[in-house]
Amino acid sequence: MLNYVKAEILKQKGSFNHKIIWLVPTVIIALAIVLMGSSYTFSGAYNWWYILFLPFTFTYIAATFVTKDQKKNYHGLMAIAKDKKRIWYAKVIVATLYLLVVNMIFFMMMIIGSKVLGLYIMPTRKGFTGSLLLFMTFAWQMPLFMYVGQKVGVFLSILISVVCNMIIACICALESYWWIPFAIPARLMCPAIGVLPNGLLVEEAGKRFASRDVILPGVIITVILYVLISWLTAQGFSRKEV
């Protein structure tokens, strides 16, 4: 299994995925600094990040992981691999690592940028916790949009992801049905970093959104989904013809 993972990592060298994980965080932080002002740089950047730019980024990565190989017939691996599911699991693992890396890059660039420019930023621990939670609660969508990507292509995958994550998060995250998977990241950001899906600070909307009771259930739901969807999509991939 380790060799499959190493092969997937090697195939990504020189790809646009290596650039997009730096490009998108840079763009969003620059926009927040220019448009939001020092007092709202943190809340503005994080709000735009998890509502729009992060779904765009990880869906592009997920979809290109499969469409690139699909065009080349998986480099002949489908004909010789003893267990095709291992190919899929390796792609899921590496794509998930990219999701972790892009969130940590965003976090580090926020910290460094704020220090260099002397802008306000909330405690480092909150920023790190928020980025880690975003990784954990978005991870289930990696195998999902990898599978969707090979069915409908990169563009439609990104469109579906952005629409689902933006609309469902904004509608459901602050309601009693916040546990709908697409709304969980936005809901958990309320107590984690104190920012609502609409960009307002939690203290402006009421203390109930600051409750951390939602964090553990939200993480458990999304981790179970990650395991389940990875397994289900691997079954479908293993039946794929050469």
Side-chain angles (χ1 to χ4, degrees), residues 145-180:
F145 284 107
M146 283 173 58
Y147 197 78
V148 172
Q150 70 176 356
K151 297 295 182 182
V152 303
V154 177
F155 177 77
L156 279 178
S157 297
I158 293 174
L159 182 62
I160 293 169
S161 173
V162 170
V163 169
C164 288
N165 282 288
M166 181 184 295
I167 294 179
I168 294 178
C170 291
I171 293 175
C172 304
L174 302 183
E175 303 296 336
S176 58
Y177 39 88
W178 62 267
W179 44 264
I180 294 174

PDB file of all heavy atoms in Angstrom, residues 145-180:
ATOM      1  N   PHE A 145     -15.811  13.812  -4.088  1.00  0.00           N
ATOM      2  CA  PHE A 145     -15.617  14.587  -5.312  1.00  0.00           C
ATOM      3  C   PHE A 145     -14.549  14.000  -6.221  1.00  0.00           C
ATOM      4  O   PHE A 145     -14.482  14.367  -7.402  1.00  0.00           O
ATOM      5  CB  PHE A 145     -15.331  16.052  -4.971  1.00  0.00           C
ATOM      6  CG  PHE A 145     -16.580  16.785  -4.565  1.00  0.00           C
ATOM      7  CD1 PHE A 145     -16.804  17.138  -3.246  1.00  0.00           C
ATOM      8  CD2 PHE A 145     -17.559  17.076  -5.496  1.00  0.00           C
ATOM      9  CE1 PHE A 145     -17.968  17.784  -2.864  1.00  0.00           C
ATOM     10  CE2 PHE A 145     -18.731  17.734  -5.134  1.00  0.00           C
ATOM     11  CZ  PHE A 145     -18.942  18.085  -3.818  1.00  0.00           C
ATOM     12  N   MET A 146     -13.742  13.092  -5.723  1.00  0.00           N
ATOM     13  CA  MET A 146     -12.904  12.300  -6.614  1.00  0.00           C
ATOM     14  C   MET A 146     -13.790  11.420  -7.483  1.00  0.00           C
ATOM     15  O   MET A 146     -13.595  11.312  -8.694  1.00  0.00           O
ATOM     16  CB  MET A 146     -11.928  11.442  -5.803  1.00  0.00           C
ATOM     17  CG  MET A 146     -10.746  12.198  -5.244  1.00  0.00           C
ATOM     18  SD  MET A 146      -9.722  11.200  -4.122  1.00  0.00           S
ATOM     19  CE  MET A 146      -9.272   9.840  -5.207  1.00  0.00           C
ATOM     20  N   TYR A 147     -14.777  10.803  -6.842  1.00  0.00           N
ATOM     21  CA  TYR A 147     -15.690   9.918  -7.580  1.00  0.00           C
ATOM     22  C   TYR A 147     -16.584  10.728  -8.534  1.00  0.00           C
ATOM     23  O   TYR A 147     -16.795  10.340  -9.682  1.00  0.00           O
ATOM     24  CB  TYR A 147     -16.552   9.131  -6.597  1.00  0.00           C
ATOM     25  CG  TYR A 147     -17.217   7.927  -7.207  1.00  0.00           C
ATOM     26  CD1 TYR A 147     -16.499   6.749  -7.432  1.00  0.00           C
ATOM     27  CD2 TYR A 147     -18.554   7.950  -7.575  1.00  0.00           C
ATOM     28  CE1 TYR A 147     -17.100   5.642  -8.007  1.00  0.00           C
ATOM     29  CE2 TYR A 147     -19.164   6.849  -8.141  1.00  0.00           C
ATOM     30  CZ  TYR A 147     -18.443   5.693  -8.353  1.00  0.00           C
ATOM     31  OH  TYR A 147     -19.035   4.599  -8.934  1.00  0.00           O
ATOM     32  N   VAL A 148     -17.095  11.854  -8.023  1.00  0.00           N
ATOM     33  CA  VAL A 148     -17.915  12.728  -8.866  1.00  0.00           C
ATOM     34  C   VAL A 148     -17.092  13.256 -10.041  1.00  0.00           C
ATOM     35  O   VAL A 148     -17.578  13.340 -11.178  1.00  0.00           O
ATOM     36  CB  VAL A 148     -18.494  13.904  -8.040  1.00  0.00           C
ATOM     37  CG1 VAL A 148     -19.179  14.921  -8.955  1.00  0.00           C
ATOM     38  CG2 VAL A 148     -19.478  13.387  -7.001  1.00  0.00           C
ATOM     39  N   GLY A 149     -15.832  13.594  -9.774  1.00  0.00           N
ATOM     40  CA  GLY A 149     -14.963  14.140 -10.808  1.00  0.00           C
ATOM     41  C   GLY A 149     -14.772  13.202 -11.982  1.00  0.00           C
ATOM     42  O   GLY A 149     -14.753  13.637 -13.140  1.00  0.00           O
ATOM     43  N   GLN A 150     -14.636  11.901 -11.716  1.00  0.00           N
ATOM     44  CA  GLN A 150     -14.437  10.972 -12.817  1.00  0.00           C
ATOM     45  C   GLN A 150     -15.726  10.709 -13.591  1.00  0.00           C
ATOM     46  O   GLN A 150     -15.692  10.194 -14.702  1.00  0.00           O
ATOM     47  CB  GLN A 150     -13.849   9.656 -12.304  1.00  0.00           C
ATOM     48  CG  GLN A 150     -14.790   8.806 -11.485  1.00  0.00           C
ATOM     49  CD  GLN A 150     -14.166   7.473 -11.101  1.00  0.00           C
ATOM     50  OE1 GLN A 150     -13.043   7.160 -11.509  1.00  0.00           O
ATOM     51  NE2 GLN A 150     -14.875   6.688 -10.331  1.00  0.00           N
ATOM     52  N   LYS A 151     -16.852  11.122 -13.004  1.00  0.00           N
ATOM     53  CA  LYS A 151     -18.139  10.947 -13.683  1.00  0.00           C
ATOM     54  C   LYS A 151     -18.532  12.172 -14.509  1.00  0.00           C
ATOM     55  O   LYS A 151     -19.054  12.041 -15.616  1.00  0.00           O
ATOM     56  CB  LYS A 151     -19.240  10.662 -12.654  1.00  0.00           C
ATOM     57  CG  LYS A 151     -19.070   9.379 -11.862  1.00  0.00           C
ATOM     58  CD  LYS A 151     -19.161   8.160 -12.752  1.00  0.00           C
ATOM     59  CE  LYS A 151     -19.040   6.880 -11.927  1.00  0.00           C
ATOM     60  NZ  LYS A 151     -19.089   5.662 -12.777  1.00  0.00           N
ATOM     61  N   VAL A 152     -18.308  13.365 -13.960  1.00  0.00           N
ATOM     62  CA  VAL A 152     -18.810  14.575 -14.618  1.00  0.00           C
ATOM     63  C   VAL A 152     -17.717  15.562 -14.998  1.00  0.00           C
ATOM     64  O   VAL A 152     -17.998  16.580 -15.639  1.00  0.00           O
ATOM     65  CB  VAL A 152     -19.856  15.281 -13.728  1.00  0.00           C
ATOM     66  CG1 VAL A 152     -20.995  14.352 -13.389  1.00  0.00           C
ATOM     67  CG2 VAL A 152     -19.211  15.815 -12.442  1.00  0.00           C
ATOM     68  N   GLY A 153     -16.472  15.323 -14.597  1.00  0.00           N
ATOM     69  CA  GLY A 153     -15.392  16.220 -14.950  1.00  0.00           C
ATOM     70  C   GLY A 153     -15.085  17.248 -13.870  1.00  0.00           C
ATOM     71  O   GLY A 153     -15.818  17.389 -12.890  1.00  0.00           O
ATOM     72  N   VAL A 154     -14.001  17.988 -14.078  1.00  0.00           N
ATOM     73  CA  VAL A 154     -13.504  18.925 -13.070  1.00  0.00           C
ATOM     74  C   VAL A 154     -14.448  20.104 -12.878  1.00  0.00           C
ATOM     75  O   VAL A 154     -14.792  20.464 -11.749  1.00  0.00           O
ATOM     76  CB  VAL A 154     -12.098  19.434 -13.455  1.00  0.00           C
ATOM     77  CG1 VAL A 154     -11.608  20.470 -12.447  1.00  0.00           C
ATOM     78  CG2 VAL A 154     -11.107  18.280 -13.537  1.00  0.00           C
ATOM     79  N   PHE A 155     -14.876  20.740 -13.977  1.00  0.00           N
ATOM     80  CA  PHE A 155     -15.676  21.958 -13.873  1.00  0.00           C
ATOM     81  C   PHE A 155     -16.985  21.727 -13.128  1.00  0.00           C
ATOM     82  O   PHE A 155     -17.329  22.472 -12.203  1.00  0.00           O
ATOM     83  CB  PHE A 155     -15.968  22.517 -15.267  1.00  0.00           C
ATOM     84  CG  PHE A 155     -16.857  23.729 -15.246  1.00  0.00           C
ATOM     85  CD1 PHE A 155     -16.354  24.972 -14.888  1.00  0.00           C
ATOM     86  CD2 PHE A 155     -18.207  23.621 -15.565  1.00  0.00           C
ATOM     87  CE1 PHE A 155     -17.178  26.089 -14.848  1.00  0.00           C
ATOM     88  CE2 PHE A 155     -19.037  24.733 -15.525  1.00  0.00           C
ATOM     89  CZ  PHE A 155     -18.523  25.971 -15.172  1.00  0.00           C
ATOM     90  N   LEU A 156     -17.722  20.692 -13.509  1.00  0.00           N
ATOM     91  CA  LEU A 156     -19.004  20.421 -12.852  1.00  0.00           C
ATOM     92  C   LEU A 156     -18.806  20.006 -11.392  1.00  0.00           C
ATOM     93  O   LEU A 156     -19.627  20.336 -10.537  1.00  0.00           O
ATOM     94  CB  LEU A 156     -19.773  19.336 -13.609  1.00  0.00           C
ATOM     95  CG  LEU A 156     -20.546  19.798 -14.849  1.00  0.00           C
ATOM     96  CD1 LEU A 156     -21.227  18.622 -15.526  1.00  0.00           C
ATOM     97  CD2 LEU A 156     -21.564  20.878 -14.490  1.00  0.00           C
ATOM     98  N   SER A 157     -17.722  19.312 -11.111  1.00  0.00           N
ATOM     99  CA  SER A 157     -17.422  18.931  -9.725  1.00  0.00           C
ATOM    100  C   SER A 157     -17.234  20.159  -8.855  1.00  0.00           C
ATOM    101  O   SER A 157     -17.779  20.243  -7.746  1.00  0.00           O
ATOM    102  CB  SER A 157     -16.160  18.067  -9.668  1.00  0.00           C
ATOM    103  OG  SER A 157     -16.331  16.856 -10.350  1.00  0.00           O
ATOM    104  N   ILE A 158     -16.460  21.119  -9.368  1.00  0.00           N
ATOM    105  CA  ILE A 158     -16.222  22.357  -8.623  1.00  0.00           C
ATOM    106  C   ILE A 158     -17.527  23.119  -8.430  1.00  0.00           C
ATOM    107  O   ILE A 158     -17.810  23.624  -7.336  1.00  0.00           O
ATOM    108  CB  ILE A 158     -15.190  23.237  -9.351  1.00  0.00           C
ATOM    109  CG1 ILE A 158     -13.822  22.555  -9.322  1.00  0.00           C
ATOM    110  CG2 ILE A 158     -15.113  24.628  -8.708  1.00  0.00           C
ATOM    111  CD1 ILE A 158     -12.761  23.270 -10.136  1.00  0.00           C
ATOM    112  N   LEU A 159     -18.335  23.186  -9.473  1.00  0.00           N
ATOM    113  CA  LEU A 159     -19.613  23.904  -9.391  1.00  0.00           C
ATOM    114  C   LEU A 159     -20.525  23.280  -8.339  1.00  0.00           C
ATOM    115  O   LEU A 159     -21.103  23.982  -7.503  1.00  0.00           O
ATOM    116  CB  LEU A 159     -20.302  23.902 -10.758  1.00  0.00           C
ATOM    117  CG  LEU A 159     -21.636  24.657 -10.848  1.00  0.00           C
ATOM    118  CD1 LEU A 159     -21.430  26.130 -10.532  1.00  0.00           C
ATOM    119  CD2 LEU A 159     -22.257  24.483 -12.228  1.00  0.00           C
ATOM    120  N   ILE A 160     -20.650  21.948  -8.355  1.00  0.00           N
ATOM    121  CA  ILE A 160     -21.487  21.248  -7.382  1.00  0.00           C
ATOM    122  C   ILE A 160     -20.975  21.478  -5.966  1.00  0.00           C
ATOM    123  O   ILE A 160     -21.741  21.756  -5.039  1.00  0.00           O
ATOM    124  CB  ILE A 160     -21.525  19.736  -7.696  1.00  0.00           C
ATOM    125  CG1 ILE A 160     -22.252  19.487  -9.025  1.00  0.00           C
ATOM    126  CG2 ILE A 160     -22.233  18.965  -6.566  1.00  0.00           C
ATOM    127  CD1 ILE A 160     -22.096  18.070  -9.536  1.00  0.00           C
ATOM    128  N   SER A 161     -19.668  21.369  -5.787  1.00  0.00           N
ATOM    129  CA  SER A 161     -19.068  21.531  -4.466  1.00  0.00           C
ATOM    130  C   SER A 161     -19.287  22.934  -3.917  1.00  0.00           C
ATOM    131  O   SER A 161     -19.703  23.101  -2.764  1.00  0.00           O
ATOM    132  CB  SER A 161     -17.566  21.241  -4.540  1.00  0.00           C
ATOM    133  OG  SER A 161     -16.926  21.530  -3.315  1.00  0.00           O
ATOM    134  N   VAL A 162     -19.002  23.947  -4.726  1.00  0.00           N
ATOM    135  CA  VAL A 162     -19.131  25.332  -4.268  1.00  0.00           C
ATOM    136  C   VAL A 162     -20.581  25.651  -3.923  1.00  0.00           C
ATOM    137  O   VAL A 162     -20.869  26.272  -2.895  1.00  0.00           O
ATOM    138  CB  VAL A 162     -18.582  26.305  -5.333  1.00  0.00           C
ATOM    139  CG1 VAL A 162     -18.947  27.745  -4.976  1.00  0.00           C
ATOM    140  CG2 VAL A 162     -17.068  26.163  -5.460  1.00  0.00           C
ATOM    141  N   VAL A 163     -21.511  25.205  -4.772  1.00  0.00           N
ATOM    142  CA  VAL A 163     -22.932  25.466  -4.520  1.00  0.00           C
ATOM    143  C   VAL A 163     -23.388  24.786  -3.230  1.00  0.00           C
ATOM    144  O   VAL A 163     -24.041  25.405  -2.375  1.00  0.00           O
ATOM    145  CB  VAL A 163     -23.790  25.003  -5.713  1.00  0.00           C
ATOM    146  CG1 VAL A 163     -25.279  25.025  -5.344  1.00  0.00           C
ATOM    147  CG2 VAL A 163     -23.550  25.896  -6.922  1.00  0.00           C
ATOM    148  N   CYS A 164     -23.036  23.515  -3.063  1.00  0.00           N
ATOM    149  CA  CYS A 164     -23.456  22.770  -1.866  1.00  0.00           C
ATOM    150  C   CYS A 164     -22.842  23.368  -0.602  1.00  0.00           C
ATOM    151  O   CYS A 164     -23.543  23.589   0.395  1.00  0.00           O
ATOM    152  CB  CYS A 164     -23.051  21.303  -1.986  1.00  0.00           C
ATOM    153  SG  CYS A 164     -24.021  20.355  -3.169  1.00  0.00           S
ATOM    154  N   ASN A 165     -21.540  23.631  -0.641  1.00  0.00           N
ATOM    155  CA  ASN A 165     -20.867  24.131   0.551  1.00  0.00           C
ATOM    156  C   ASN A 165     -21.281  25.551   0.896  1.00  0.00           C
ATOM    157  O   ASN A 165     -21.411  25.891   2.073  1.00  0.00           O
ATOM    158  CB  ASN A 165     -19.347  24.052   0.366  1.00  0.00           C
ATOM    159  CG  ASN A 165     -18.800  22.657   0.552  1.00  0.00           C
ATOM    160  OD1 ASN A 165     -18.748  22.136   1.658  1.00  0.00           O
ATOM    161  ND2 ASN A 165     -18.413  22.023  -0.539  1.00  0.00           N
ATOM    162  N   MET A 166     -21.511  26.368  -0.107  1.00  0.00           N
ATOM    163  CA  MET A 166     -21.876  27.757   0.163  1.00  0.00           C
ATOM    164  C   MET A 166     -23.335  27.877   0.597  1.00  0.00           C
ATOM    165  O   MET A 166     -23.641  28.433   1.651  1.00  0.00           O
ATOM    166  CB  MET A 166     -21.642  28.623  -1.077  1.00  0.00           C
ATOM    167  CG  MET A 166     -21.982  30.095  -0.859  1.00  0.00           C
ATOM    168  SD  MET A 166     -21.803  31.070  -2.376  1.00  0.00           S
ATOM    169  CE  MET A 166     -20.047  30.940  -2.645  1.00  0.00           C
ATOM    170  N   ILE A 167     -24.238  27.336  -0.193  1.00  0.00           N
ATOM    171  CA  ILE A 167     -25.667  27.523   0.070  1.00  0.00           C
ATOM    172  C   ILE A 167     -26.112  26.750   1.311  1.00  0.00           C
ATOM    173  O   ILE A 167     -26.785  27.302   2.188  1.00  0.00           O
ATOM    174  CB  ILE A 167     -26.490  27.101  -1.161  1.00  0.00           C
ATOM    175  CG1 ILE A 167     -26.197  28.052  -2.326  1.00  0.00           C
ATOM    176  CG2 ILE A 167     -27.988  27.098  -0.829  1.00  0.00           C
ATOM    177  CD1 ILE A 167     -26.934  27.716  -3.601  1.00  0.00           C
ATOM    178  N   ILE A 168     -25.743  25.475   1.388  1.00  0.00           N
ATOM    179  CA  ILE A 168     -26.173  24.664   2.530  1.00  0.00           C
ATOM    180  C   ILE A 168     -25.561  25.191   3.827  1.00  0.00           C
ATOM    181  O   ILE A 168     -26.227  25.240   4.866  1.00  0.00           O
ATOM    182  CB  ILE A 168     -25.811  23.183   2.315  1.00  0.00           C
ATOM    183  CG1 ILE A 168     -26.620  22.634   1.134  1.00  0.00           C
ATOM    184  CG2 ILE A 168     -26.092  22.365   3.577  1.00  0.00           C
ATOM    185  CD1 ILE A 168     -26.316  21.197   0.782  1.00  0.00           C
ATOM    186  N   ALA A 169     -24.287  25.607   3.762  1.00  0.00           N
ATOM    187  CA  ALA A 169     -23.641  26.140   4.965  1.00  0.00           C
ATOM    188  C   ALA A 169     -24.337  27.398   5.451  1.00  0.00           C
ATOM    189  O   ALA A 169     -24.617  27.554   6.648  1.00  0.00           O
ATOM    190  CB  ALA A 169     -22.170  26.421   4.686  1.00  0.00           C
ATOM    191  N   CYS A 170     -24.651  28.302   4.533  1.00  0.00           N
ATOM    192  CA  CYS A 170     -25.271  29.575   4.918  1.00  0.00           C
ATOM    193  C   CYS A 170     -26.709  29.386   5.418  1.00  0.00           C
ATOM    194  O   CYS A 170     -27.166  30.115   6.300  1.00  0.00           O
ATOM    195  CB  CYS A 170     -25.264  30.542   3.731  1.00  0.00           C
ATOM    196  SG  CYS A 170     -23.602  31.126   3.288  1.00  0.00           S
ATOM    197  N   ILE A 171     -27.404  28.393   4.876  1.00  0.00           N
ATOM    198  CA  ILE A 171     -28.798  28.173   5.262  1.00  0.00           C
ATOM    199  C   ILE A 171     -28.916  27.349   6.536  1.00  0.00           C
ATOM    200  O   ILE A 171     -29.726  27.652   7.423  1.00  0.00           O
ATOM    201  CB  ILE A 171     -29.579  27.482   4.117  1.00  0.00           C
ATOM    202  CG1 ILE A 171     -29.691  28.424   2.915  1.00  0.00           C
ATOM    203  CG2 ILE A 171     -30.964  27.049   4.582  1.00  0.00           C
ATOM    204  CD1 ILE A 171     -30.342  27.781   1.705  1.00  0.00           C
ATOM    205  N   CYS A 172     -28.099  26.306   6.667  1.00  0.00           N
ATOM    206  CA  CYS A 172     -28.297  25.308   7.721  1.00  0.00           C
ATOM    207  C   CYS A 172     -27.376  25.437   8.929  1.00  0.00           C
ATOM    208  O   CYS A 172     -27.712  24.935  10.009  1.00  0.00           O
ATOM    209  CB  CYS A 172     -28.121  23.899   7.138  1.00  0.00           C
ATOM    210  SG  CYS A 172     -29.202  23.533   5.740  1.00  0.00           S
ATOM    211  N   ALA A 173     -26.234  26.080   8.775  1.00  0.00           N
ATOM    212  CA  ALA A 173     -25.219  26.057   9.840  1.00  0.00           C
ATOM    213  C   ALA A 173     -25.712  26.641  11.155  1.00  0.00           C
ATOM    214  O   ALA A 173     -25.301  26.192  12.228  1.00  0.00           O
ATOM    215  CB  ALA A 173     -23.964  26.797   9.382  1.00  0.00           C
ATOM    216  N   LEU A 174     -26.587  27.617  11.111  1.00  0.00           N
ATOM    217  CA  LEU A 174     -27.055  28.272  12.338  1.00  0.00           C
ATOM    218  C   LEU A 174     -28.435  27.792  12.769  1.00  0.00           C
ATOM    219  O   LEU A 174     -29.052  28.394  13.650  1.00  0.00           O
ATOM    220  CB  LEU A 174     -27.071  29.794  12.133  1.00  0.00           C
ATOM    221  CG  LEU A 174     -25.729  30.422  11.743  1.00  0.00           C
ATOM    222  CD1 LEU A 174     -25.858  31.934  11.648  1.00  0.00           C
ATOM    223  CD2 LEU A 174     -24.623  30.029  12.718  1.00  0.00           C
ATOM    224  N   GLU A 175     -28.905  26.706  12.156  1.00  0.00           N
ATOM    225  CA  GLU A 175     -30.207  26.143  12.499  1.00  0.00           C
ATOM    226  C   GLU A 175     -30.026  24.867  13.320  1.00  0.00           C
ATOM    227  O   GLU A 175     -28.907  24.393  13.528  1.00  0.00           O
ATOM    228  CB  GLU A 175     -31.006  25.847  11.229  1.00  0.00           C
ATOM    229  CG  GLU A 175     -31.222  27.063  10.329  1.00  0.00           C
ATOM    230  CD  GLU A 175     -32.066  28.138  10.986  1.00  0.00           C
ATOM    231  OE1 GLU A 175     -32.848  27.816  11.901  1.00  0.00           O
ATOM    232  OE2 GLU A 175     -31.959  29.303  10.562  1.00  0.00           O
ATOM    233  N   SER A 176     -31.136  24.295  13.750  1.00  0.00           N
ATOM    234  CA  SER A 176     -31.083  23.075  14.557  1.00  0.00           C
ATOM    235  C   SER A 176     -30.595  21.876  13.742  1.00  0.00           C
ATOM    236  O   SER A 176     -30.145  20.880  14.315  1.00  0.00           O
ATOM    237  CB  SER A 176     -32.473  22.773  15.142  1.00  0.00           C
ATOM    238  OG  SER A 176     -33.427  22.631  14.110  1.00  0.00           O
ATOM    239  N   TYR A 177     -30.671  21.975  12.423  1.00  0.00           N
ATOM    240  CA  TYR A 177     -30.215  20.881  11.554  1.00  0.00           C
ATOM    241  C   TYR A 177     -28.817  21.185  10.995  1.00  0.00           C
ATOM    242  O   TYR A 177     -28.503  20.855   9.848  1.00  0.00           O
ATOM    243  CB  TYR A 177     -31.210  20.631  10.419  1.00  0.00           C
ATOM    244  CG  TYR A 177     -31.834  21.877   9.826  1.00  0.00           C
ATOM    245  CD1 TYR A 177     -31.226  22.569   8.778  1.00  0.00           C
ATOM    246  CD2 TYR A 177     -33.046  22.362  10.319  1.00  0.00           C
ATOM    247  CE1 TYR A 177     -31.796  23.705   8.239  1.00  0.00           C
ATOM    248  CE2 TYR A 177     -33.633  23.503   9.777  1.00  0.00           C
ATOM    249  CZ  TYR A 177     -32.989  24.169   8.740  1.00  0.00           C
ATOM    250  OH  TYR A 177     -33.570  25.295   8.202  1.00  0.00           O
ATOM    251  N   TRP A 178     -27.975  21.771  11.819  1.00  0.00           N
ATOM    252  CA  TRP A 178     -26.598  22.085  11.448  1.00  0.00           C
ATOM    253  C   TRP A 178     -25.786  20.840  11.140  1.00  0.00           C
ATOM    254  O   TRP A 178     -24.717  20.912  10.514  1.00  0.00           O
ATOM    255  CB  TRP A 178     -25.905  22.851  12.581  1.00  0.00           C
ATOM    256  CG  TRP A 178     -25.815  22.057  13.859  1.00  0.00           C
ATOM    257  CD1 TRP A 178     -26.691  22.074  14.891  1.00  0.00           C
ATOM    258  CD2 TRP A 178     -24.810  21.089  14.209  1.00  0.00           C
ATOM    259  NE1 TRP A 178     -26.308  21.200  15.875  1.00  0.00           N
ATOM    260  CE2 TRP A 178     -25.150  20.581  15.474  1.00  0.00           C
ATOM    261  CE3 TRP A 178     -23.650  20.626  13.578  1.00  0.00           C
ATOM    262  CZ2 TRP A 178     -24.373  19.627  16.122  1.00  0.00           C
ATOM    263  CZ3 TRP A 178     -22.879  19.662  14.214  1.00  0.00           C
ATOM    264  CH2 TRP A 178     -23.241  19.168  15.470  1.00  0.00           C
ATOM    265  N   TRP A 179     -26.263  19.668  11.601  1.00  0.00           N
ATOM    266  CA  TRP A 179     -25.531  18.412  11.438  1.00  0.00           C
ATOM    267  C   TRP A 179     -25.565  17.879  10.003  1.00  0.00           C
ATOM    268  O   TRP A 179     -24.930  16.865   9.703  1.00  0.00           O
ATOM    269  CB  TRP A 179     -26.121  17.358  12.376  1.00  0.00           C
ATOM    270  CG  TRP A 179     -27.623  17.345  12.393  1.00  0.00           C
ATOM    271  CD1 TRP A 179     -28.442  17.979  13.284  1.00  0.00           C
ATOM    272  CD2 TRP A 179     -28.489  16.719  11.447  1.00  0.00           C
ATOM    273  NE1 TRP A 179     -29.764  17.768  12.968  1.00  0.00           N
ATOM    274  CE2 TRP A 179     -29.824  16.996  11.843  1.00  0.00           C
ATOM    275  CE3 TRP A 179     -28.281  15.946  10.311  1.00  0.00           C
ATOM    276  CZ2 TRP A 179     -30.915  16.530  11.125  1.00  0.00           C
ATOM    277  CZ3 TRP A 179     -29.373  15.486   9.590  1.00  0.00           C
ATOM    278  CH2 TRP A 179     -30.669  15.776  10.008  1.00  0.00           C
ATOM    279  N   ILE A 180     -26.293  18.553   9.100  1.00  0.00           N
ATOM    280  CA  ILE A 180     -26.206  18.194   7.685  1.00  0.00           C
ATOM    281  C   ILE A 180     -24.739  18.340   7.273  1.00  0.00           C
ATOM    282  O   ILE A 180     -24.148  19.405   7.477  1.00  0.00           O
ATOM    283  CB  ILE A 180     -27.120  19.086   6.832  1.00  0.00           C
ATOM    284  CG1 ILE A 180     -28.588  18.810   7.182  1.00  0.00           C
ATOM    285  CG2 ILE A 180     -26.867  18.872   5.342  1.00  0.00           C
ATOM    286  CD1 ILE A 180     -29.569  19.748   6.502  1.00  0.00           C
TER     287      ILE A 180
END
